[in-house]
Amino acid sequence: MNKSSDTDMTFKDVVSMVTSANATLIEHVDILAEYNMQSTTTLGQQKTPGVTDTEESQTNLLNRVKILERAKISLQETQQKTEDDMSEMKQWRDNYVTEQSDRTTRIEQLSKKQKLNLKNFRKQMSEQEKKAKDLNKEIESLKEKESKSNKTLDKLSLDLKEYENNLLK
């Protein structure tokens, strides 16, 4: 049985087709059984006086009965194969449904995991942005202190020069 999905038939179409074929086979088996029973009954009946059957017609009738019995057996085998095929298709369908359910479950789990990862990533990004802002504030504060220190240093430098100048005088 081809399990690939390269046809346009749906699973329901296949099941419908097999069910229809199975019903037809059952009808044929019933018809053959009835014909076989009628043929056997006809062969077993006593001859009516005055009516003669030739051995050839009896042989032909027996041959037809044998052919019908073989046909009946063939149809029964076909019916069994059809039932086996249907059973295999049901198993395939059940496996397919289970696989799809498993895939859906795995996709949902991965989706939840990705959402959690994204949430954690956003939280970490927010924390990093806050740290960056804090560091920028600290840098600005240090720049201000540096500027004040430089001004103080410049003033001290001027005062020192003035003091040196006063000492030299």
Side-chain angles (χ1 to χ4, degrees), residues 21-133:
N22 190 32
T24 303
L25 288 173
I26 291 171
E27 287 178 32
H28 283 104
V29 168
D30 291 344
I31 291 169
L32 287 172
E34 184 179 328
Y35 180 78
N36 189 18
M37 205 164 93
Q38 288 176 354
S39 297
T40 305
T41 305
T42 304
L43 286 176
Q45 290 178 348
Q46 301 248 338
K47 293 183 182 178
T48 318
V51 176
T52 58
D53 282 325
T54 63
E55 284 185 26
E56 186 178 327
S57 67
Q58 285 182 345
T59 303
N60 286 340
L61 190 54
L62 284 174
N63 286 338
R64 288 173 65 194
V65 168
K66 287 178 185 178
I67 290 170
L68 289 173
E69 285 175 348
R70 282 195 309 266
K72 177 182 175 184
I73 290 169
S74 173
L75 285 172
Q76 287 171 337
E77 289 171 354
T78 303
Q79 178 183 2
Q80 184 60 46
K81 178 158 178 22
T82 302
E83 289 171 357
D84 292 346
D85 287 347
M86 285 181 63
S87 176
E88 183 180 343
M89 287 174 61
K90 287 177 184 174
Q91 182 66 36
W92 177 79
R93 180 202 61 206
D94 292 345
N95 289 343
Y96 177 80
V97 167
T98 301
E99 269 182 33
Q100 293 305 314
S101 176
D102 290 348
R103 283 183 182 150
T104 301
T105 302
R106 280 184 277 172
I107 288 170
E108 288 172 353
Q109 289 171 344
L110 285 174
S111 177
K112 286 178 184 177
K113 187 176 179 180
Q114 290 300 327
K115 285 178 184 177
L116 182 61
N117 287 343
L118 183 60
K119 182 179 177 183
N120 288 336
F121 176 75
R122 287 181 178 156
K123 182 179 176 184
Q124 288 174 352
M125 285 296 295
S126 176
E127 290 171 359
Q128 293 300 321
E129 287 173 356
K130 183 179 180 216
K131 285 179 182 179
K133 284 180 184 179

Side-chain angles (χ1 to χ4, degrees), residues 6-29:
D6 38 282
T7 64
D8 291 334
M9 287 181 56
T10 65
F11 184 76
K12 287 182 180 180
D13 293 336
V14 173
V15 170
S16 175
M17 185 175 71
V18 171
T19 303
S20 176
N22 190 32
T24 303
L25 288 173
I26 291 171
E27 287 178 32
H28 283 104
V29 168

